[in-house]
Amino acid sequence: MPLRHTLLALLVAVLWGLNFLAIRISLDQFPPLFLAGLRFLILALPALLFVPWPGVKVRYLLGYGLGFGTLQFFGLYLGMSAGFPTGLASLVLQASAPFTVLLGALVLKEHITARRATGVAVAVLGLGLVGVSRGVLDGWTPFLLVLFGAFGWALGNLASRKAQTDRPMALVLWMAVVPPIPLLSVAFLVEGPEEIGAALASSISVAAIPAWLGLTYTILFGTVVGAGIWVWLMRRHPAGTVAPFSMLVPVVGILAAWVALDEVPTWLELAGGVLVVGGVIYASVRGTPPAQPAPPPEPAPVDEPAPTHEPAKDHPLEGATSSSAR
């Protein structure tokens, strides 16, 4: 890629890595399910008014919205609200990559190469190390919730792959129309009108400004700007060139949480993170194709002897017979 495009890919990784910090700040003010529904509700309104229909089948749009938008952020927001560290959440969410490979093989009958299988196995091993570390410290529930969010992201990947639209940015924005109804419905059932009302009432204050700024960041920079640049790059370069930059997201997320929130990962979590990132990169980058055997050399042309002509015979009858045969 040109240097300018490489810098744009790095910018997206930074924007998406900081997005987890913005989510954490917003969760300090709003209940998790209500916050997730509010995020997509604000994004859905301009999509309905100003963005043209992406030209896909409704079932694929619903699948994308329920997987990527609903289940992913249902698990992620609940897990982070339950205490899962912000930086590690950006890492565990990368489990969507091996989930996508496995679901693609089971549902779409896609072929898994030996390289992809190895990368998935390494990434799963890394996730296991992170899960063991957090399970010992905080219990397994927050980790499993974030992992469930990664599974939802993978389901959304399958639906978006089946959608086959030539307007991917419109698909991303129209996807936001789906999550508000299920997320807000569950929020009112689980979190209740009183908790939601209290959060909204206290949000009209100076102390709640960081929460609103965090929500604005997730909508504007995490979704519109970040996804817009990413789609723009993906349309101009091979996926194998652009996709590995997403592996920088957990690096940015862990460093940002380390600096801003004093979240220091354990050595076991760092080792797991290296395995997750390395495994996903190994699985997503194409290996060198096997060398094809050289075709056998063509045989050298054989010079055929020039045809010999018998000397013409002087007998008058023989000459006449030869002329009539031509």
Side-chain angles (χ1 to χ4, degrees):
M1 289 194 302
L3 177 60
R4 183 169 64 92
H5 294 186
T6 301
L7 293 176
L8 286 174
L10 292 173
L11 174 62
V12 173
V14 173
L15 292 177
W16 284 350
L18 295 177
N19 195 42
F20 291 86
L21 190 60
I23 292 172
R24 170 63 66 193
I25 295 172
S26 299
L27 285 171
D28 292 337
Q29 175 64 39
F30 299 104
L33 295 179
F34 175 75
L35 176 63
L38 181 62
R39 166 184 178 168
F40 286 103
L41 179 63
I42 295 174
L43 190 60
L45 295 177
L48 286 171
L49 294 175
F50 304 111
V51 179
W53 176 254
V56 300
K57 294 181 178 180
V58 174
R59 65 174 178 270
Y60 296 140
L61 178 68
L62 291 174
Y64 186 37
L66 290 174
F68 181 86
T70 306
L71 297 182
Q72 177 186 188
F73 293 100
F74 176 90
L76 176 64
Y77 279 46
L78 280 179
M80 292 180 65
S81 179
F84 197 76
T86 304
L88 289 181
S90 67
L91 171 66
V92 173
L93 209 62
Q94 300 305 314
S96 63
F99 276 141
T100 301
V101 173
L102 295 175
L103 288 174
L106 293 174
V107 179
L108 303 182
K109 307 303 180 184
E110 295 179 345
H111 176 64
I112 299 181
T113 63
R115 184 185 186 91
R116 283 190 173 183
T118 302
V120 167
V122 172
V124 170
L125 176 61
L127 287 170
L129 293 180
V130 174
V132 168
S133 176
R134 298 317 304 180
V136 171
L137 294 175
D138 303 322
W140 285 90
T141 301
F143 169 76
L144 292 177
L145 282 169
V146 178
L147 195 63
F148 177 75
F151 179 74
W153 185 358
L155 291 175
N157 285 340
L158 296 190
S160 65
R161 191 176 298 177
K162 294 290 289 183
Q164 293 293 318
T165 179
D166 57 353
R167 296 193 293 273
M169 192 59 198
L171 177 64
V172 170
L173 294 176
W174 268 88
M175 173 274 302
V177 177
V178 179
I181 294 178
L183 286 174
L184 292 177
S185 299
V186 176
F188 276 96
L189 290 174
V190 175
E191 296 162 349
E194 293 184 1
E195 183 180 356
I196 294 172
L200 287 173
S202 60
S203 69
I204 309 175
S205 63
V206 176
I209 291 178
W212 286 110
L213 291 176
L215 179 59
T216 303
Y217 183 96
T218 60
I219 295 171
L220 183 59
F221 295 99
T223 303
V224 177
V225 176
I229 295 175
W230 191 258
V231 169
W232 187 85
L233 289 172
M234 291 287 282
R235 289 180 64 87
R236 285 161 177 78
H237 302 283
T241 302
V242 181
F245 283 91
S246 67
M247 291 298 98
L248 296 176
V249 173
V251 177
V252 175
I254 291 174
L255 289 177
W258 198 333
V259 172
L261 304 175
D262 200 26
E263 290 183 359
V264 182
T266 66
W267 286 107
L268 190 61
E269 291 162 356
L270 288 176
V274 170
L275 290 176
V276 171
V277 173
V280 173
I281 291 177
Y282 185 79
S284 61
V285 177
R286 290 185 178 181
T288 304
Q292 299 294 328
E298 296 182 0
V302 179
D303 294 334
E304 296 181 358
T308 58
H309 300 281
E310 295 181 358
K313 300 199 176 167
D314 296 331
H315 196 284
L317 293 178
E318 290 290 337
T321 304
S322 175
S323 297
S324 63
R326 295 192 187 102

